[in-house]
Amino acid sequence: MSKSERIKKLVEAGRSKYIVELDRQITTLEGTLASLGQSYDSGRAQDIYRSAHRLKGSAPTFGLNRVGEIAEHLTELWEWSNQSPESGADRALTSILSETHTHLIRLKIEYEIARNQADLTVRESLWERESIAKPGRLLLIDDDSLLRSYLAEQFQVYGYEVDEAEDVAEAKRKLYDQPYDLLLLDLMMYPQSGYEMFKFLKEDPTMRWLPLIVLSGREDLKDKVRCLRSGADDYVTKPFQFEELEARVYNVISRARQFESMAFRDGLTGVFNRRYFDHQLLLELEWSIRDDEAISLAFIDIDNFKAINDSYGHQSGDMVLQGLAKILQSNLRPTDLLARYGGEEFVVLMPRTEGDQAKLVIERVLSVVRSETVASTTENQFRITFSSGIAEWRLGMSHAEMLRRADEAMYQAKLEGRNRVICHS
């Protein structure tokens, strides 16, 4: 099945699911409206606004433009409830409820039309491009489960890996567990709005440069400016065409990767370089001091590396460095920061990790290195070991002192026979 055929099936399936969800939403709105007709409740008024806002943003994505227009009228009618809900008792609620009832009748008509359509009109022309092998890993943060699921499936067709989060709290947990190439963030969520994510990302030095695209049902200049000044890479207003959104995601990830490669990556191994590591070390220490959490650092130095260069040439030495970097990347934890510090030295920063824990992590990696061929040519296979020193940050210790202690522990490991990990006492 071609990509176009797969996407067509997804659109059809997504629209079918959405029509079922639309029926549920209309029934819920009718119940809420009836309750408000008996007595005013600010929470129920906000429920109507949030439901309408959600429909306004998602319905046109599935081709239900009329539903989106009706939902927009409802959003405007109840927007006051989101800004000053307690003022509802002073408003002409009878008139508002009557107008809302009329819009709900129109919604039910549109639902019946959509449900009875035998042949759905789907988009035939898709923006075709050659996808890269791994477009990227996305975290999609939206409290609209149906739209979120639909977008996730669409991105997966294009080769992206996608994780979903229904609110800010779940997104934070997933960000600590898994690295992402880009976040897609719905701005209007409940109970915490998308603006909470900006604050969280800005305060965490390991995530402040993570690309982010805002998805919002509000065509509001102040929102756009606020998001872009807060660090958003793009702002996309619902409703949107998926092909346009995917193109924006692709371009943001591509630019971020190019910038990162030029500024922060070691040209030989592809891991972070010393410049980036020194910068991140200072930020991570600030974060650890503020939150009173442990942080450790490991120096790693390849044993007898000079002999490899002298006996087999620098090209073989480069292959060994590349092979070790690959093993380190594959076996360290997602929260660990790996960099090439110079020559045959690598360094690993381990946030929220005590010295003894860090030692176990590096010993496990060393065990993998011992058992594998790190590089090979037609004539030779290279197996290596390394020596490592661990330093845990202590109160009053500078970043330079922490580096010095890890370096001293690494040289102690060399003196004791290499092929081991020592934690600075």
Side-chain angles (χ1 to χ4, degrees):
M1 186 185 295
S2 68
K3 182 188 288 185
S4 295
E5 290 171 331
R6 281 184 290 159
I7 291 177
K8 182 177 179 180
K9 281 186 171 294
L10 278 175
V11 171
E12 291 172 347
R15 178 163 172 152
S16 296
K17 290 179 183 177
Y18 191 81
I19 290 170
V20 173
E21 173 66 14
L22 177 61
D23 184 34
R24 189 189 69 79
Q25 290 274 3
I26 292 172
T27 301
T28 300
L29 283 169
E30 286 179 325
T32 305
L33 195 65
S35 296
L36 282 170
Q38 296 175 0
S39 63
Y40 176 73
D41 179 84
S42 61
R44 291 194 181 98
Q46 289 176 322
D47 286 342
I48 291 182
Y49 171 79
R50 282 193 289 267
S51 295
H53 188 276
R54 187 177 293 116
L55 287 174
K56 170 194 166 187
S58 58
T61 302
F62 298 97
L64 301 174
N65 295 325
R66 288 286 299 152
V67 172
E69 291 173 5
I70 296 168
E72 185 173 6
H73 289 309
L74 283 171
T75 302
E76 293 171 353
L77 189 61
W78 289 89
E79 188 166 14
W80 57 269
S81 70
N82 193 51
Q83 297 170 348
S84 54
E86 299 306 326
S87 68
D90 301 326
R91 291 177 179 269
L93 269 183
T94 302
S95 174
I96 294 174
L97 293 173
S98 176
E99 191 172 346
T100 302
H101 180 70
T102 301
H103 287 312
L104 284 182
I105 293 173
R106 293 170 61 202
L107 275 179
K108 292 175 77 171
I109 292 172
E110 291 299 325
Y111 162 74
E112 291 295 334
I113 293 172
R115 191 189 65 173
N116 293 326
Q117 274 186 307
D119 299 315
L120 299 176
T121 303
V122 296
R123 293 165 287 184
E124 292 289 340
S125 58
L126 296 169
W127 180 47
E128 293 292 341
R129 64 163 172 78
E130 188 107 5
S131 293
I132 57 177
K134 292 184 178 179
R137 190 177 193 97
L138 312 178
L139 179 58
L140 182 54
I141 311 164
D142 197 316
D143 59 358
D144 185 340
S145 60
L146 195 63
L147 179 61
R148 189 178 70 240
S149 176
Y150 169 75
L151 288 177
E153 290 177 344
Q154 287 277 45
F155 277 112
Q156 286 164 354
V157 168
Y158 277 82
Y160 294 87
E161 295 179 86
V162 185
D163 288 335
E164 301 176 44
E166 66 178 358
D167 54 33
V168 172
E170 184 181 6
K172 289 179 180 179
R173 291 194 297 271
K174 293 197 172 185
L175 282 165
Y176 280 126
D177 293 338
Q178 175 72 46
Y180 292 95
D181 293 292
L182 182 138
L183 306 185
L184 284 162
L185 175 66
D186 180 32
L187 201 57
M188 300 294 292
M189 292 190 294
Y190 182 83
Q192 290 180 296
S193 76
Y195 284 116
E196 290 296 319
M197 280 304 300
F198 284 107
K199 182 180 179 182
F200 169 73
L201 295 172
K202 194 172 184 179
E203 290 180 350
D204 192 315
T206 64
M207 300 180 193
R208 63 174 58 185
W209 303 114
L210 185 60
L212 183 150
I213 293 179
V214 170
L215 306 178
S216 176
R218 289 171 60 91
E219 183 68 53
D220 184 88
L221 179 60
K222 289 183 178 178
D223 274 341
K224 289 182 180 180
V225 171
R226 182 180 174 185
C227 287
L228 293 170
R229 289 191 183 278
S230 297
D233 294 271
D234 205 346
Y235 186 106
V236 178
T237 304
K238 301 175 185 178
F240 48 77
Q241 295 294 317
F242 174 78
E243 294 83 355
E244 179 184 351
L245 175 62
E246 191 277 334
R248 291 174 183 269
V249 167
Y250 176 78
N251 286 336
V252 170
I253 290 178
S254 296
R255 286 199 308 270
R257 284 177 172 172
Q258 290 169 5
F259 176 75
E260 180 185 276
S261 179
M262 288 186 296
F264 300 138
R265 294 283 177 177
D266 174 57
L268 177 64
T269 62
V271 303
F272 288 114
N273 57 26
R274 180 170 179 169
R275 174 187 176 190
Y276 179 80
F277 179 84
D278 287 341
H279 175 70
Q280 289 300 115
L281 174 58
L282 292 172
L283 293 175
E284 281 285 2
L285 285 176
E286 286 181 16
W287 188 84
S288 296
I289 293 168
R290 184 195 66 199
D291 292 344
D292 192 25
E293 291 192 329
I295 183 170
S296 295
L297 184 152
F299 255 119
I300 293 173
D301 188 273
I302 300 174
D303 294 329
N304 301 310
F305 183 73
K306 185 175 184 298
I308 296 174
N309 275 338
D310 292 344
S311 300
Y312 303 100
H314 287 279
Q315 185 174 359
S316 294
D318 288 348
M319 292 173 63
V320 168
L321 288 169
Q322 291 168 335
L324 176 59
K326 185 176 181 180
I327 293 174
L328 291 171
Q329 284 180 305
S330 300
N331 290 278
L332 289 170
R333 303 166 304 176
T335 53
D336 298 333
L337 176 63
L338 170 67
R340 184 182 176 199
Y341 211 63
E344 66 271 29
E345 286 186 337
F346 292 85
V347 64
V348 183
L349 187 62
M350 291 172 274
R352 296 176 292 281
T353 306
E354 296 179 351
D356 290 342
Q357 294 173 298
K359 186 172 184 286
L360 290 174
V361 170
I362 301 302
E363 283 179 335
R364 179 175 54 80
V365 177
L366 177 56
S367 179
V368 174
V369 171
R370 290 185 188 123
S371 65
E372 294 189 10
T373 299
V374 297
S376 61
T377 65
T378 52
E379 299 87 9
N380 300 289
Q381 289 190 332
F382 297 97
R383 300 172 73 91
I384 63 168
T385 61
F386 63 71
S387 300
S388 178
I390 307 287
E392 180 183 349
W393 180 82
R394 303 293 184 189
L395 185 63
M397 186 185 296
S398 68
H399 72 285
E401 176 67 10
M402 190 177 183
L403 286 165
R404 185 186 65 79
R405 290 192 178 196
D407 192 43
E408 285 180 355
M410 183 265 291
Y411 276 105
Q412 185 62 35
K414 294 280 190 185
L415 291 173
E416 292 186 14
R418 302 185 176 90
N419 188 21
R420 67 194 64 211
V421 182
I422 288 183
C423 192
H424 194 285
S425 57

